[in-house]
Amino acid sequence: MTSLMINHPINSMASSVIRTLSQSQHMQLPMLRPTRMHALAIKSDLEIMRQQMVVVDDDESYAMKGGEGPHSYAKNSIIQKGLIDGSKRLIHEAISQSFDPKEHVHGNDEPSKPICIADLGCSTGPNTFFAMQTITEAIQQQFQSHGLASQIPDIQVLFNDQVSNDFNTLFKNLPQQRIYYATAVPGSFCGRLFPKQALHLVHSSAALCWLSKLPSEITDPDSSACNKGRIHYTDAPKEVAEAYATQYSKDMGNFLHARAQELVENGLMLLQFPVSNVLLDSDVDPAKVFELIGTCLVDMAKVGVISEEKVDSFNVPLIYPSVKAVKEILRGCDECFSIEWMEILEFKNMVSLPTVQIFISWFRAALQGMIEKHFGAEIVDELFERFAEKVKEFPDIMDTDKLKLDVLFVLLRRKNKPRP
Amino acid sequence: MTSLMINHPINSMASSVIRTLSQSQHMQLPMLRPTRMHALAIKSDLEIMRQQMVVVDDDESYAMKGGEGPHSYAKNSIIQKGLIDGSKRLIHEAISQSFDPKEHVHGNDEPSKPICIADLGCSTGPNTFFAMQTITEAIQQQFQSHGLASQIPDIQVLFNDQVSNDFNTLFKNLPQQRIYYATAVPGSFCGRLFPKQALHLVHSSAALCWLSKLPSEITDPDSSACNKGRIHYTDAPKEVAEAYATQYSKDMGNFLHARAQELVENGLMLLQFPVSNVLLDSDVDPAKVFELIGTCLVDMAKVGVISEEKVDSFNVPLIYPSVKAVKEILRGCDECFSIEWMEILEFKNMVSLPTVQIFISWFRAALQGMIEKHFGAEIVDELFERFAEKVKEFPDIMDTDKLKLDVLFVLLRRKNKPRP
């Protein structure tokens, strides 16, 4: 919204600099672009900023399909019935046990500060809106049950996802009857997104399973972890799974390190993400689905629709870690976070058996962006038609009883920092 | 960014409720949607929320043309050379005189809180990025000149515009080398957008000239302010101009009232917007351009391209107030704000004479959204071709020497609240 005639002009050279800079999707060390005049004065700040702030604008994993069309996330994320109720109970209990409203109430003179809640990996809605409604209601009830109903501070929700996420759709569909101020923050949650100690509660549902990038060795022909002819670590040599696990561990470490700086002391983090619980040979690995999609791509390469090299260089940056691996990673951050609660939810209790068409839609909403980028938009329809045929051949992939997938719910608390 | 299988499901009934609610663009009284179980417990909060929070999600004025296409704001806002330098000097001086870095530095024990800056009416960039760079540099220099270079807090910039603004383009083009955390806040700035006392500095450039809505009487055939056959108050009966002025006064009052709640004590507000300085009959009124566009629409109605009724019901919600009118409005808010600085900048010193094509592009980027909504997208090309012909007939409209347009720069400070 800007006047007709009174806008900030820039010269076209400066404009082209901006555009060139923004073409790369990585921003490792934000800094001032100093003019000659300011270069010296700013140098010391620059050093400070370099040390303090590492922002990653976006990473290799792709945002969900935007908009509200038939293949969009907005239209293909409402089918997984059951999980919202499961997580609702856990969120209410977690906040009831661990969120202290007295920390947010001050004397008459001091203005009450807003409660800031971030949802990391929010996509376009509506799921994020339900989660935020659950959390804000639970917080309200905490104030009420402590006799502080009249002193509830303003609540600000910060919706975060990749820069490539469709935030326009998110904003358009914000619930009208929300009781919070809505804000969006673009960028990868493996880096810093918020100022120091700006958050009171972090929520992330079903997002931490995406790697920030694919391990380079899986596309390196000279590496034993090279993943030729497959698009995931399922049924791949163990070196491939190890490369995924190493990247996951790095990402989780970066995630926890960034949040440790952004959360206030005693701040809470509610995380939910899928984990694998494959124990027996007869179990269906939840990542089996990528093996099926991989064979579709190999078939398409055989008939010349796409090249073999393209298939070899494509991998899905998603991991279903074991609970044991997650626990180890969290133990590595126990100086910053205490584990307040950990609960395994069985996927089969949350999601009823979908139809083939619905099952395909879930994966299309999630994968379409990265498939289009790698292979081109023209192959997407054929790929998912072939995938549907494979799913019909192997219906166990949709059988939530046989699929060894769980959901891990974790509540972490930011520990107090040691005082000097 | 969300997992393939573990998303929050909702049932389709709830989903349709959300969608129905979000169809209307107005949100007057955000509130909890209480379930039966919670209805009673929540009632008292609801009353509190109603009193505390009035959020207006969007209003009738339209966001600038999104994307990065040939008619987009992003491509048609870089031409007004000169203003950025003019405002840069003023912003640096204003911050140097009025921004006290010592208020943002605390003892060792207390963590330094982020400095929060909002840009209201930011559009899609790049102008907002230049303004924010200027402001953050000026703030850094204030810390340096006070010997506090090592204690600069984190800076958070909150980019605001209408819900219909293209925030995806804004995020995509964020400067990589910024030194602030970027955040977007959708909604009309005539209502509350931020929690109480959340902001330290508010900036708004060339946005406050847009009315939040058109006064109803200008399309009421029974009113003396009915604006038949015109699309603006220029050359209209004085009742039309008065109706615009009344709406402007209301909007500015709401704007100032909302900001008074959102700014901390001593918080600053840097506003720039166009004002009219028409004094003589020989002066070219800056709003004359809407008279020309209006005659194009009337011509198109005459040849049957659009209906006369459509033209009669279309008006551009933009005002170039007089400095006197602005001063009166600000005086009405002197309990909350002190005027620290007011300076009139001559438009002709900032913008060089454009070509006809460039001149047309400015207006197309600004008006296309509302024209498409009212008349349909199919008339836009013809309208602006006709407009170009009119501009060639009346070239004085582009002559910045004759055009009686100024830019008002105002620096306001949030006064301290009376202590109990």
Side-chain angles (χ1 to χ4, degrees), chain A residues 248-267:
Chain A
Y248 177 68
S249 180
K250 262 187 224 167
D251 286 348
M252 282 293 284
N254 288 338
F255 174 88
L256 292 165
H257 180 71
R259 300 300 87 73
Q261 295 169 74
E262 294 162 357
L263 273 162
V264 298
E265 292 184 357
N266 281 324

Side-chain angles (χ1 to χ4, degrees), chain A residues 274-326:
Chain A
V275 286
S276 161
N277 67 355
V278 173
L279 295 172
L280 306 170
D281 283 349
S282 59
D283 294 339
V284 176
D285 190 309
K288 184 89 182 165
V289 68
F290 301 111
E291 207 184 314
L292 290 196
I293 297 174
T295 59
C296 297
L297 287 167
V298 169
D299 291 348
M300 287 167 80
K302 277 182 193 152
V303 295
V305 179
I306 48 179
S307 75
E308 210 174 302
E309 294 72 37
K310 275 278 172 196
V311 179
D312 290 345
S313 58
F314 180 71
N315 288 280
V316 177
L318 187 124
I319 189 167
Y320 298 125
S322 68
V323 173
K324 186 169 161 255
V326 174

Side-chain angles (χ1 to χ4, degrees), chain A residues 26-208:
Chain A
H26 286 266
M27 170 189 178
Q28 292 299 340
L29 291 170
M31 63 190 89
L32 261 180
R33 187 170 57 218
T35 60
R36 278 184 205 91
M37 205 177 78
H38 298 144
L40 283 174
I42 284 161
K43 193 163 173 270
S44 63
D45 296 354
L46 191 59
E47 294 306 313
I48 297 160
M49 290 283 162
R50 274 176 187 276
Q51 289 156 21
Q52 286 181 343
M53 190 174 169
V54 176
V55 176
V56 183
D57 261 3
D58 222 342
D59 55 37
E60 284 179 22
S61 71
Y62 245 66
M64 299 293 105
K65 176 81 180 150
E68 296 177 274
H71 302 302
S72 65
Y73 172 85
K75 288 280 160 65
N76 292 291
S77 60
I78 60 169
I79 206 65
Q80 301 94 323
K81 287 196 178 75
L83 179 57
I84 196 144
D85 291 329
S87 70
K88 201 169 176 173
R89 173 185 65 79
L90 293 175
I91 288 171
H92 270 277
E93 281 184 37
I95 287 176
S96 160
Q97 284 179 25
S98 303
F99 183 92
D100 184 0
K102 292 193 293 296
E103 288 184 9
H104 297 269
V105 172
H106 301 283
N108 271 343
D109 269 4
E110 209 180 333
S112 68
K113 301 196 177 67
I115 295 174
C116 295
I117 303 166
D119 191 29
L120 306 183
C122 64
S123 193
T124 57
N127 293 340
T128 185
F129 304 138
F130 281 84
M132 292 305 102
Q133 188 182 336
T134 300
I135 288 174
T136 50
E137 279 181 21
I139 288 175
Q140 282 200 314
Q141 286 170 22
Q142 271 299 87
F143 278 86
Q144 288 165 350
S145 65
H146 284 72
L148 298 168
S150 66
Q151 294 178 69
I152 304 178
D154 285 345
I155 299 176
Q156 184 169 40
V157 169
L158 301 122
F159 294 98
N160 157 260
D161 209 315
Q162 305 276 14
V163 175
S164 54
N165 184 53
D166 184 358
F167 287 97
N168 290 349
T169 295
L170 179 88
F171 283 163
K172 201 175 126 204
N173 292 324
L174 275 169
Q176 292 220 307
Q177 284 155 304
R178 63 189 185 272
I179 53 158
Y180 52 81
Y181 292 94
T183 305
V185 178
S188 164
F189 53 48
C190 288
R192 284 287 300 281
L193 294 165
F194 309 96
K196 277 188 290 292
Q197 305 204 35
L199 303 177
H200 300 96
L201 193 148
V202 166
H203 175 264
S204 180
S205 183
L208 278 166

Side-chain angles (χ1 to χ4, degrees), chain B residues 146-163:
Chain B
H146 284 72
L148 298 167
S150 66
Q151 294 178 69
I152 305 177
D154 285 345
I155 300 177
Q156 184 169 40
V157 169
L158 301 122
F159 294 98
N160 157 260
D161 209 314
Q162 305 276 13
V163 175

Side-chain angles (χ1 to χ4, degrees), chain A residues 327-335:
Chain A
K327 279 184 178 167
E328 259 168 42
I329 291 167
L330 293 178
R331 260 199 298 274
C333 283
D334 64 358
E335 275 183 30

Side-chain angles (χ1 to χ4, degrees), chain B residues 186-241:
Chain B
S188 164
F189 53 48
C190 288
R192 284 287 300 280
L193 293 165
F194 309 96
K196 277 189 290 292
Q197 305 203 35
L199 303 177
H200 300 97
L201 193 148
V202 166
H203 175 264
S204 180
S205 182
L208 278 166
C209 40
W210 291 97
L211 300 180
S212 72
K213 61 174 195 166
L214 287 159
S216 57
E217 53 270 44
I218 64 171
T219 48
D220 175 2
D222 299 329
S223 166
S224 59
C226 183
N227 201 28
K228 228 178 137 181
R230 282 174 303 270
I231 65 164
H232 196 249
Y233 63 80
T234 332
D235 262 4
K238 74 174 192 320
E239 287 86 349
V240 177

Side-chain angles (χ1 to χ4, degrees), chain A residues 1 3-4 6 8-10 27 31 45 78 80 127 140 144 154 161 176-177 183-184 196 206 210 290, chain B residues 1-4 6 8-10 27 31-32 45 78 80 127 144 154 161 176-177 183-184 196 206 290:
Chain A
M1 191 161 114
S3 133
L4 297 180
I6 316 292
H8 281 149
I10 58 165
M27 170 189 178
M31 63 190 89
D45 296 354
I78 60 169
Q80 301 94 323
N127 293 340
Q140 282 200 314
Q144 288 165 350
D154 285 345
D161 209 315
Q176 292 220 307
Q177 284 155 304
T183 305
K196 277 188 290 292
W210 291 97
F290 301 111
Chain B
M1 190 160 115
T2 304
S3 135
L4 297 180
I6 315 292
H8 281 149
I10 59 165
M27 171 189 179
M31 63 191 87
L32 261 180
D45 296 352
I78 59 167
Q80 302 93 323
N127 293 340
Q144 288 165 350
D154 285 345
D161 209 314
Q176 291 220 307
Q177 284 155 304
T183 305
K196 277 189 290 292
F290 301 112

